[in-house]
Amino acid sequence: MNAAIDVRGVLAAISAPTLLIHRRNDARVDPDASRFLAKKIPNARLVEVPGRDHPIWTGDVDRVVDLIEEFLTGERAVAEAERVLAALLVTRIYDTARLGDRMWSQRSQRFQETWRLLVGRHGGRTAGMQSEMMMSRFDGPARAIRCAAALRGAAQDIGVASAQGVHVGVIQMRGPPAGLTVRVATQLAAHARRGDILASRLVADLATGSGLHFTDAGRIALEDLDGPLALVLATSEQHLEPAGRLKSKAGGPAALTARESEVSLIAAGKSNAAIAAELRLSEHTVKRHVANILLKLDLPSRAAAAAFSVRHAGPDGP
């Protein structure tokens, strides 16, 4: 219908201020059409911008909107800050179990979908993906760490190994991720071990008061930095006992409450979120139960707690 409309006969009668914007390599309409309009409409202004997209809501939208704003207000649009301080999270997944290509592809695809969902849920933005390395940015380190913890649990549920790095620094708002902050976060993810959330000390300093917990992880020398970078590991509460504290004697099944026994039986291979959904509890409550279980039974992991509960389960359950 638009293509059937012929307005050539009324162009000279247009008296309203007119701005024409056309992308030079428009895939739908030849730029000569707008050049013709500019000649026939009195005092019309034509601006040709780079690109091949025809709809104004695709391609370099910012450039088009800036031109419209300037035309309507008479003032040039104020450019947004190109560089901002942000927390960058790099998540790496890898095939430690030597899965077959098909199974690995399926699990990798599933994790990527979960990654996009969890990043958005924690107030972040996906910033790029290359192979099994996924990058996201957040407006604060606490959100980045909490998202990393959720991704770690999701990776465990899906059956892939994960390692993550977090760093805070200045990044470019536009274009593909690049710069010192990106390189540092990427190297931290590459240096992290299976299940680790490895961060720079700056992340822990800026997250003070957030309720998150960190332990010292030494220092690492990176090519882009003048000196060694201090590192921390994001930890859960059950790992916060002082190194010099004497361990109490491990308790038996009677040491656990009924709810703790229920949590321990299903804890292996499941994230706090998965356990919370199954038992209809909050993630915080599940986290507290897991910490109590490991402390009471003097066990190193969820899997060990689940195995303990199975071994000591009676005919009617634990």
Side-chain angles (χ1 to χ4, degrees):
M1 291 175 62
N2 285 341
I5 298 173
D6 187 349
V7 298
R8 288 175 292 180
V10 299
L11 296 179
I14 296 176
S15 59
T18 304
L19 171 67
L20 301 164
I21 305 173
H22 204 122
R23 293 191 172 105
R24 295 191 185 97
N25 299 309
D26 192 312
R28 297 275 301 279
V29 178
D30 193 308
D32 281 339
S34 287
R35 293 167 190 155
F36 176 83
L37 294 175
K39 290 180 181 178
K40 298 298 181 178
I41 299 174
N43 302 314
R45 177 190 174 201
L46 170 63
V47 179
E48 295 186 18
V49 297
R52 65 184 306 275
D53 299 277
H54 179 68
I56 63 171
W57 57 86
T58 58
D60 186 2
V61 176
D62 290 333
R63 171 62 173 154
V64 174
V65 173
D66 287 347
L67 288 169
I68 295 173
E69 180 179 344
E70 181 181 358
F71 173 69
L72 294 175
T73 66
E75 297 181 1
R76 187 177 297 273
V78 178
E80 294 183 4
E82 293 292 330
R83 293 164 64 83
V84 297
L85 184 67
L88 205 64
L89 167 62
V90 176
T91 303
R92 175 171 63 99
I93 59 171
Y94 51 97
D95 180 11
T96 57
R98 296 186 180 180
L99 303 171
D101 290 343
R102 182 177 179 180
M103 183 177 292
W104 168 247
S105 178
Q106 291 174 344
R107 294 187 182 184
S108 177
Q109 181 64 32
R110 183 181 169 193
F111 182 82
Q112 290 171 18
E113 294 170 357
T114 303
W115 166 70
R116 294 187 183 92
L117 177 66
L118 289 177
V119 168
R121 186 175 295 171
H122 286 81
R125 294 185 180 183
T126 57
M129 181 170 59
Q130 185 175 7
S131 185
E132 276 67 58
M133 198 80 79
M134 287 150 275
M135 191 174 302
S136 50
R137 67 178 176 89
F138 301 81
D139 59 7
R143 288 186 176 184
I145 294 294
R146 290 194 174 98
C147 183
L151 288 169
R152 176 172 57 187
Q156 186 178 9
D157 290 344
I158 292 170
V160 295
S162 70
Q164 304 183 80
V166 186
H167 185 52
V168 173
V170 176
I171 64 170
Q172 292 283 352
M173 286 287 289
R174 298 181 182 181
L180 178 61
T181 304
V182 173
R183 293 195 295 273
V184 171
T186 301
Q187 290 181 68
L188 292 183
H191 184 75
R193 298 173 301 179
R194 176 180 178 138
D196 279 355
I197 302 174
L198 189 62
S200 59
R201 169 62 66 179
L202 179 60
V203 170
D205 292 341
L206 293 176
T208 299
S210 65
L212 297 171
H213 302 278
F214 303 89
T215 59
D216 181 73
R219 294 172 176 267
I220 184 175
L222 301 179
E223 295 179 0
D224 299 298
L225 302 178
D226 295 333
L229 180 68
L231 305 178
V232 294
L233 277 174
T235 65
S236 53
E237 278 110 348
Q238 64 261 31
H239 297 135
L240 298 178
E241 296 303 315
R245 177 174 174 174
L246 294 176
K247 292 184 178 180
S248 59
K249 185 178 179 180
L256 303 181
T257 65
R259 180 62 84 181
E260 288 168 353
S261 296
E262 194 175 9
V263 170
S264 67
L265 193 60
I266 67 171
K270 293 188 178 182
S271 65
N272 287 345
I275 299 172
E278 184 168 339
L279 298 180
R280 297 184 179 181
L281 301 171
S282 70
E283 288 188 46
H284 178 76
T285 299
V286 170
K287 191 175 184 180
R288 178 166 50 80
H289 282 320
V290 171
N292 288 338
I293 291 165
L294 298 182
L295 183 62
K296 288 180 178 180
L297 302 181
D298 192 22
L299 294 173
S301 67
R302 298 163 179 260
F308 179 93
S309 293
V310 171
R311 286 197 305 269
H312 293 84
D316 299 321

